Amino acid sequence: GQNIDQPTEMTATEGAIVQINCTYQTSGFNGLFWYQQHAGEAPTFLSYNVLDGLEEKGRFSSFLSRSKGYSYLLLKELQMKDSASYLCAVRGAGNMLTFGGGTRLMVKP
Amino acid sequence: DSGVTQTPKHLITATGQRVTLRCSPRSGDLSVYWYQQSLDQGLQFLIQYYNGEERAKGNILERFSAQQFPDLHSELNLSSLELGDSALYFCASSSPNSPLHFGNGTRLTVT
């Protein structure tokens, strides 16, 4: 089975940097994904890590440590439109993607 | 636009009824996934199909069933509906080793 933990809520200030952590336990590992979801809308793909290290994509970066079962999503130069839920998901055996409960990020002026 | 199409967008029905949700995957994607998201809850995996065959099953109730057709579109059937089945139902599709791309969801309201 899989167990994925991430904080329920976070608050940050516009222009700042925020780090959203995710820890996981899985019986098989074929990659870790981060998605952004605005309320009532579809999740949209942000990043993918399958090897240890940092993947950078514009204002967003994601880090993975497979030995520690740990990932984080780093958001720089926060904008109001970044207020959303951020979902950590682990792909285990059989290509199945299991999601954590999501972190609701509120960006304040 | 993710390329994944879900219909209908909204569905309102009464308890005890049966509904069918439809999903067309992105062109070229053989895998289809169904997820349920209740209000302010996370995405709960229901079921996955690959090229017409069931690949993985999550927390899907016996009242729910799904299938994937030869043209790769998929349907999720929900029967004997209860108030607690009210949720957003998302379909997603993918190719091997690629991210899942989600449709816009079907919002089901059971009254």
Side-chain angles (χ1 to χ4, degrees):
Chain A
Q2 291 174 323
N3 190 38
I4 302 169
D5 287 313
Q6 47 182 133
T8 307
E9 284 189 359
M10 298 183 72
T11 303
T13 305
E14 191 176 15
I17 299 173
V18 71
Q19 177 174 314
I20 303 174
N21 296 324
C22 170
T23 57
Y24 65 89
Q25 294 169 311
T26 180
S27 53
F29 182 81
N30 288 309
L32 187 142
F33 297 80
W34 284 95
Y35 283 80
Q36 180 192 60
Q37 186 181 27
H38 287 96
E41 297 182 10
T44 54
F45 169 70
L46 289 178
S47 69
Y48 168 60
N49 296 71
V50 65
L51 299 175
D52 291 352
L54 189 68
E55 293 284 338
E56 296 189 77
K57 234 183 185 184
R59 293 191 299 116
F60 294 1
S61 305
S62 58
F63 171 83
L64 174 67
S65 168
R66 288 171 297 170
S67 63
K68 295 180 179 175
Y70 168 69
S71 173
Y72 67 72
L73 180 70
L74 195 71
L75 292 76
K76 304 175 191 173
E77 301 168 17
L78 279 172
Q79 301 175 9
M80 298 299 290
K81 68 177 183 179
D82 297 330
S83 293
S85 288
Y86 291 86
L87 314 177
C88 172
V90 173
R91 176 175 273 163
N95 220 31
M96 196 172 100
L97 197 63
T98 301
F99 283 83
T103 299
R104 187 180 301 177
L105 174 67
M106 288 176 283
V107 180
K108 296 189 172 178
Chain B
D1 181 11
S2 69
V4 179
T5 305
Q6 286 188 251
T7 56
K9 284 187 75 170
H10 302 277
L11 205 46
I12 301 174
T13 189
T15 54
Q17 294 299 304
R18 173 190 165 93
V19 296
T20 298
L21 282 52
R22 196 178 190 279
C23 170
S24 293
R26 287 191 326 160
S27 177
D29 286 352
L30 299 181
S31 285
V32 168
Y33 306 74
W34 287 97
Y35 287 84
Q36 179 194 55
Q37 189 173 41
S38 301
L39 192 62
D40 292 334
Q41 299 292 312
L43 285 163
Q44 297 297 318
F45 171 69
L46 295 178
I47 199 164
Q48 177 200 354
Y49 282 84
Y50 177 81
N51 202 22
E53 305 225 338
E54 183 183 303
R55 180 60 67 92
K57 220 169 188 177
N59 299 321
I60 187 166
L61 300 171
E62 284 193 14
R63 301 183 285 109
F64 295 1
S65 65
Q67 53 184 329
Q68 186 180 27
F69 294 87
D71 67 353
L72 302 177
H73 91 271
S74 178
E75 292 180 356
L76 179 67
N77 301 296
L78 315 176
S79 61
S80 303
L81 284 168
E82 302 174 0
L83 295 177
D85 297 328
S86 296
L88 262 171
Y89 290 84
F90 286 106
C91 170
S93 73
S94 77
S95 295
N97 300 318
S98 71
L100 269 64
H101 294 271
F102 285 80
N104 288 329
T106 292
R107 183 176 294 281
L108 174 66
T109 303
V110 183
T111 62

